[in-house]
Amino acid sequence: MATRYWIVSLPVQSPGATANSLWARLQDSISRHSFDTPLYRFNVPDLRVGTLDSLLALSDDLVKSNVFVEGVSHKIRRQIEELERAGGIESGALTVDGVPVDTYLTRFVWDEGKFPTMSPLKEIVGSIQSQVAKIEDDIKVRSAEYNNLRSQLSAINRKQSGSLAVRDLSNLVKSEDMVTSEHLVTLLAIVPKYSQKDWLSSYESLDTFVVPRSSKKLYEDNEYALYTVTLFAKVVDNFKVRAREKSFQVRDFEHSPEAQESRKEELEKLLQDQEAMRTSLLQWCYASYSEVFSSWMHFCAVRVFVESILRYGLPPSFLSAVLAPSAKGEKKVRSILEELCGNVNSIYWKSEDDIGIAGLGGESETHPYVSFTINFV
């Protein structure tokens, strides 16, 4: 599937010519000189023209609005890709109204029920803008809720898998590792990995009330080792000070199997909530992408209509088409389009070469016909 398309319109200007006859000439030229370029007719309905002043006023907003609608489309697509990756889902072709996006574009049919052709163009454009703006607001809220839940889980995972100096120790310590009585207490010491011999040879001498041979290694990571040490409760503060002087960190820890089980249940619930929210958000994104892409293509049809009138004049008489040339074939296709266009200049516009503008489409190059680019990604 191509991801970059041109939407163009050519003026029907020769005496006796029609859009159908121009279409036949375009098909013939492309098949003879650029046969590998996909070519489709883009069906723009007979929209309500209004006044030239209203078209000129609307044209000022068309490019900015197109950037906005296209941007929302890409934002939803990126969100879909992220959610699919998070769920281990192989990315598939996105669809609009049940058909692939490229098929929707190349077989575009105006939705009269959603956008009545007799409505003023400004009203149609405004309707598209408001629909897409609402979807953009919704995705901001929904993605923020999802990302907040992911952040909570990430924080928990960091606590459970980070360095021993900062991580949660509850899943590393068993009840039998701890001694708690009226006079004795077990502390947890974080010892630099390469200082373990120093710890084992010195911990008993850090205070006279340390229980001999009471230290046991529970766990080791890339930086630290986790050791227990049992001593009299009355010397805990002094032991911590002496340990810190030798670069041993005593972690504050209270062993509670009930609290550990509660944290485990909380984590499981968060994981379930995240998956449910991911699935729900993904389904919403699929539906919203379809809605936004459909609106975008209707917006493109309005652009073609407005720009063609402003470029070629009244009454509307033009052929619109969709092409997907390869990078190496673009120059040849441009020459074909220019040849079919002839030397037309709008009676309402000066030649672009004379006024040095890029045209309504915002293209970096100027052409004697209406042309703008659609990027799916």
Side-chain angles (χ1 to χ4, degrees), residues 59 62-63 66-67 303 307 311 349 352 358-365 370-373:
S59 72
L62 284 173
V63 176
N66 182 74
V67 170
R303 284 187 70 190
E307 294 187 21
R311 182 72 64 89
W349 286 49
E352 289 170 341
L360 284 177
E363 300 284 333
S364 59
E365 301 178 48
V370 172
S371 173
F372 52 88
T373 302

Side-chain angles (χ1 to χ4, degrees), residues 353-366:
D353 291 334
D354 294 338
I355 58 179
I357 63 171
L360 284 177
E363 300 284 333
S364 59
E365 301 178 48
T366 60

Side-chain angles (χ1 to χ4, degrees), residues 163-177:
S163 164
L164 283 170
V166 296
R167 67 172 289 178
D168 179 18
L169 302 177
S170 58
N171 61 337
L172 303 178
V173 181
K174 299 182 178 64
S175 297
E176 55 266 29
D177 297 324

Side-chain angles (χ1 to χ4, degrees), residues 141-201:
V141 173
R142 291 170 183 265
S143 61
E145 291 174 348
Y146 174 70
N147 289 331
N148 180 55
L149 191 55
R150 289 182 62 195
S151 296
Q152 292 181 51
L153 280 167
S154 295
I156 292 175
N157 288 331
R158 282 196 299 272
K159 286 182 179 180
Q160 293 187 336
S161 59
S163 164
L164 283 170
V166 296
R167 67 172 289 178
D168 179 18
L169 302 177
S170 58
N171 61 337
L172 303 178
V173 181
K174 299 182 178 64
S175 297
E176 55 266 29
D177 297 324
M178 307 299 290
V179 174
T180 304
S181 67
E182 182 179 356
H183 300 292
L184 295 176
V185 64
T186 297
L187 301 181
L188 297 178
I190 309 301
V191 178
K193 186 174 181 178
Y194 299 106
S195 300
Q196 295 182 69
K197 288 185 178 179
D198 185 23
W199 164 261
L200 292 172
S201 64

Side-chain angles (χ1 to χ4, degrees), residues 32-99:
R32 284 191 293 112
H33 303 294
S34 186
F35 65 89
D36 60 341
T37 297
L39 171 66
Y40 312 91
R41 195 155 178 176
F42 188 66
N43 296 305
V44 178
D46 293 327
L47 299 171
R48 185 173 170 181
V49 176
T51 65
L52 284 175
D53 285 343
S54 67
L55 293 180
L56 285 167
L58 182 62
S59 72
D60 293 337
D61 190 41
L62 284 173
V63 176
K64 289 188 295 182
S65 296
N66 182 74
V67 170
F68 167 68
V69 176
E70 181 178 2
V72 175
S73 170
H74 294 335
K75 181 185 296 185
I76 298 175
R77 178 187 52 76
R78 289 191 296 269
Q79 182 69 76
I80 288 173
E81 292 172 351
E82 178 185 329
L83 293 169
E84 288 178 336
R85 281 195 302 270
I89 301 172
E90 185 175 347
S91 296
L94 294 174
T95 61
V96 180
D97 294 344
V99 300

Side-chain angles (χ1 to χ4, degrees), residues 231-299:
L231 60 158
F232 279 77
K234 65 181 181 180
V235 297
V236 165
D237 290 340
N238 182 62
F239 182 87
K240 287 182 178 181
V241 172
R242 298 289 301 277
R244 188 164 54 248
E245 290 173 353
K246 294 181 67 65
S247 300
F248 305 136
Q249 175 190 356
V250 177
R251 290 280 305 273
D252 292 327
F253 179 79
E254 182 178 347
H255 183 62
S256 171
E258 296 79 10
Q260 184 176 351
E261 183 63 27
S262 176
R263 283 193 292 270
K264 181 180 178 182
E265 291 175 357
E266 179 187 5
L267 176 59
E268 290 176 352
K269 184 178 184 306
L270 282 174
L271 287 169
Q272 292 172 358
D273 290 347
Q274 177 187 240
E275 180 57 22
M277 188 175 290
R278 187 197 66 80
T279 301
S280 174
L281 179 56
L282 182 57
Q283 293 304 315
W284 180 89
C285 283
Y286 285 145
S288 296
Y289 183 84
S290 176
E291 181 71 24
V292 170
F293 191 89
S294 173
S295 296
W296 184 20
M297 294 305 102
H298 283 78
F299 186 88

Side-chain angles (χ1 to χ4, degrees), residues 71-144:
V72 175
S73 170
H74 294 335
K75 181 185 296 185
I76 298 175
R77 178 187 52 76
R78 289 191 296 269
Q79 182 69 76
I80 288 173
E81 292 172 351
E82 178 185 329
L83 293 169
E84 288 178 336
R85 281 195 302 270
I89 301 172
E90 185 175 347
S91 296
L94 294 174
T95 61
V96 180
D97 294 344
V99 300
V101 290
D102 58 328
T103 302
Y104 186 86
L105 167 61
T106 57
R107 299 179 184 176
F108 174 74
V109 177
W110 185 273
D111 189 339
E112 178 69 21
K114 187 181 292 184
F115 305 109
T117 52
M118 288 308 296
S119 298
L121 292 176
K122 184 177 181 180
E123 185 177 306
I124 293 175
V125 171
S127 176
I128 292 173
Q129 289 172 328
S130 62
Q131 287 179 14
V132 175
K134 182 179 184 306
I135 290 175
E136 185 194 34
D137 289 341
D138 285 348
I139 194 173
K140 286 179 180 177
V141 173
R142 291 170 183 265
S143 61

